[in-house]
Amino acid sequence: MAFRRRTKSYPLFSQEFVIHNHADIGFCLVLCVLIGLMFEVTAKTAFLFILPQYNVSVPTADSETVHYHYGPKDLVTILFYIFITIILHAVVQEYILDKISKRLHLSKVKHSKFNESGQLVVFHLSSVIWCSYVVVTEGYLTNPRSLWEDYPHVYLPFQVKFFYLCQLAYWLHALPELYFQKVRKEEIPRQLQYICLYLLHIAGAYLLNLSRLGLILLLLQYSTEVLFHMARLFYFADENNEKLFNAWAAVFGVTRLFILTLAVLAIGFGLARMENQAFDPEKGNFNTLLCRLCVLLLVCAAQAWLMWRFIHSQLRHWREYWNEQSAKRRASAAPRLPARLIKRESGYHENGVVKAENGTSPRTKKLKSP
């Protein structure tokens, strides 16, 4: 299965070979795991890669339900879905983004940003739909108290744990993609910042058993990011189209306010009133004053940093806009000199001498005497 049409062959396992064939290599590894399901000897090992581990039967009022908790074997599952994500990344790039970018004729800088926004629109949009389904079916929206009641939330439903594993796999796959996609050196620090922020928040919510709160915060954050990256795509298609940027700017500040309010409500007030406030990692309980302060400080610092960057970029854009407007006003207000009609002889002037069109000096014809 080839994702790209190649006109040049590279030495086996060289740097260029790995860059141009990383999706095919990942597909071969995934295929080996799937083939392992067909044989009884390797089936258990293959299931370790594909399915979430640490399932526990939890008794309920009617029957028993299967829940999951986290452990070291989750790293193996995450590794498998990193390769799945690399393959999907290559499919979106080859069959969607490359075909659109060829029609737009973008510069190298805009082409890089177009690919970045295109990939993130697909991921954020699918994550918003998936996260909304999980939140609604689990009843977290209808019962906000469930975000902190019965803490620690050690046992997770299948769809909640699988969602977190896929989120971690995506953001971990984004690190080698910086190398595979040959991202410019100027863009790497900016992309590393938001990749590390997402990894820190998602892994923190997963390991500290704050998965319910993490789902709501991710839903709010991803909804804003969908608007931003869609606005960038429409801007690259038509530079005069900035309506979605205005919508994103209005939603951005409101989202920051909702995230801060929800985090303070759930962690600062909800968990603070719980009875089991003891540090017990074996039972998954991290409900102590120090842990709560650290989590709140991390969330507030991240939101403040995002808000500062947003305000800084908006001020820069407004400054550029007003400079353009003032330049246009000065150009329109400048007095125009009246055009003078100058009667010139045939030909053109050079050093004060009239030249004919063929480059020779025009001479008056002498009249012959009769």
Side-chain angles (χ1 to χ4, degrees):
M1 180 179 180
F3 290 101
R4 296 180 181 274
R5 295 178 181 177
R6 302 174 185 86
T7 58
K8 185 178 179 181
S9 60
Y10 300 97
L12 191 64
F13 298 117
S14 63
Q15 182 180 1
E16 292 296 328
F17 177 84
V18 174
I19 290 175
H20 287 81
N21 298 277
H22 67 277
D24 296 333
I25 296 172
F27 179 77
C28 292
L29 295 175
V30 170
L31 193 60
C32 292
V33 175
L34 296 177
I35 291 175
L37 295 174
M38 303 170 62
F39 305 97
E40 186 177 356
V41 179
T42 57
K44 291 183 179 180
T45 306
F47 278 120
L48 183 65
F49 285 89
I50 299 172
L51 295 178
Q53 303 300 308
Y54 304 105
N55 55 327
V56 178
S57 297
V58 179
T60 57
D62 301 332
S63 60
E64 291 185 351
T65 57
V66 178
H67 284 68
Y68 298 83
H69 61 90
Y70 63 81
K73 294 180 181 179
D74 290 341
L75 297 175
V76 180
T77 310
I78 291 173
L79 178 63
F80 175 77
Y81 285 100
I82 285 176
F83 289 112
I84 294 289
T85 312
I86 289 174
I87 296 170
L88 295 177
H89 187 113
V91 170
V92 173
Q93 184 68 41
E94 175 70 18
Y95 296 103
I96 299 177
L97 298 180
D98 285 350
K99 292 183 178 180
I100 297 176
S101 61
K102 286 180 181 178
R103 298 180 180 179
L104 297 178
H105 304 289
L106 302 173
S107 63
K108 289 184 178 180
V109 177
K110 289 185 177 181
H111 186 266
S112 176
K113 292 183 178 180
F114 178 83
N115 290 335
E116 178 192 359
S117 292
Q119 294 286 347
L120 289 175
V121 160
V122 175
F123 170 71
H124 287 313
L125 186 59
S126 59
S127 296
V128 164
I129 297 172
W130 189 4
C131 190
S132 301
Y133 175 79
V134 173
V135 167
V136 171
T137 54
E138 295 296 331
Y140 299 151
L141 283 180
T142 56
N143 184 19
R145 289 180 176 271
S146 62
L147 300 179
W148 61 82
E149 285 183 347
D150 301 327
Y151 181 84
H153 308 134
V154 178
Y155 300 112
L156 307 176
F158 172 81
Q159 58 182 354
V160 174
K161 177 166 183 176
F162 190 59
F163 177 81
Y164 271 96
L165 294 180
C166 292
Q167 292 294 314
L168 291 171
Y170 181 85
W171 291 113
L172 285 173
H173 115 280
L175 295 174
E177 282 293 342
L178 296 177
Y179 170 72
F180 294 143
Q181 298 297 324
K182 295 183 179 180
V183 178
R184 296 184 305 117
K185 293 182 179 180
E186 297 80 5
E187 292 289 328
I188 290 178
R190 180 185 61 83
Q191 295 193 28
L192 278 177
Q193 286 177 356
Y194 70 76
I195 290 172
C196 293
L197 273 177
Y198 275 117
L199 284 173
L200 183 62
H201 284 76
I202 295 172
Y206 184 64
L207 297 176
L208 297 177
N209 295 314
L210 295 170
S211 56
R212 299 178 183 179
L213 177 63
L215 284 173
I216 304 296
L217 298 185
L218 277 178
L219 180 60
L220 293 172
Q221 177 64 23
Y222 285 168
S223 300
T224 309
E225 291 297 308
V226 167
L227 272 178
F228 172 71
H229 291 290
M230 286 185 66
R232 278 220 301 189
L233 291 178
F234 280 106
Y235 175 77
F236 290 141
D238 182 10
E239 293 186 356
N240 296 323
N241 191 350
E242 297 184 357
K243 294 181 180 179
L244 278 180
F245 276 118
N246 298 329
W248 166 75
V251 172
F252 186 86
V254 178
T255 305
R256 305 282 78 78
L257 182 62
F258 270 105
I259 290 177
L260 287 174
T261 304
L262 194 58
V264 172
L265 178 64
I267 300 173
F269 292 97
L271 292 179
R273 296 180 181 180
M274 299 294 294
E275 296 180 358
N276 54 345
Q277 297 190 20
F279 183 74
D280 191 356
E282 293 183 358
K283 295 183 179 179
N285 189 2
F286 301 94
N287 189 14
T288 61
L289 179 61
L290 180 61
C291 291
R292 291 198 302 270
L293 287 177
C294 290
V295 173
L296 278 177
L297 181 62
L298 176 63
V299 174
C300 293
Q303 300 307 309
W305 180 72
L306 290 173
M307 198 66 193
W308 179 82
R309 286 190 58 188
F310 171 76
I311 294 174
H312 181 71
S313 64
Q314 290 298 312
L315 289 177
R316 188 181 72 251
H317 289 312
W318 288 342
R319 194 181 301 115
E320 293 175 355
Y321 173 77
W322 287 114
N323 289 336
E324 291 178 0
Q325 293 298 319
S326 61
K328 290 180 180 179
R329 291 174 183 175
R330 286 196 298 267
S332 60
R336 297 181 179 179
L337 296 176
R340 297 179 180 178
L341 295 176
I342 302 175
K343 185 177 181 181
R344 296 182 179 272
E345 300 180 25
S346 61
Y348 67 95
H349 288 71
E350 183 179 338
N351 297 328
V353 180
V354 179
K355 296 286 186 180
E357 294 181 356
N358 57 0
T360 59
S361 299
R363 297 180 180 178
T364 56
K365 296 182 178 179
K366 295 182 179 180
L367 299 175
K368 294 181 179 180
S369 55

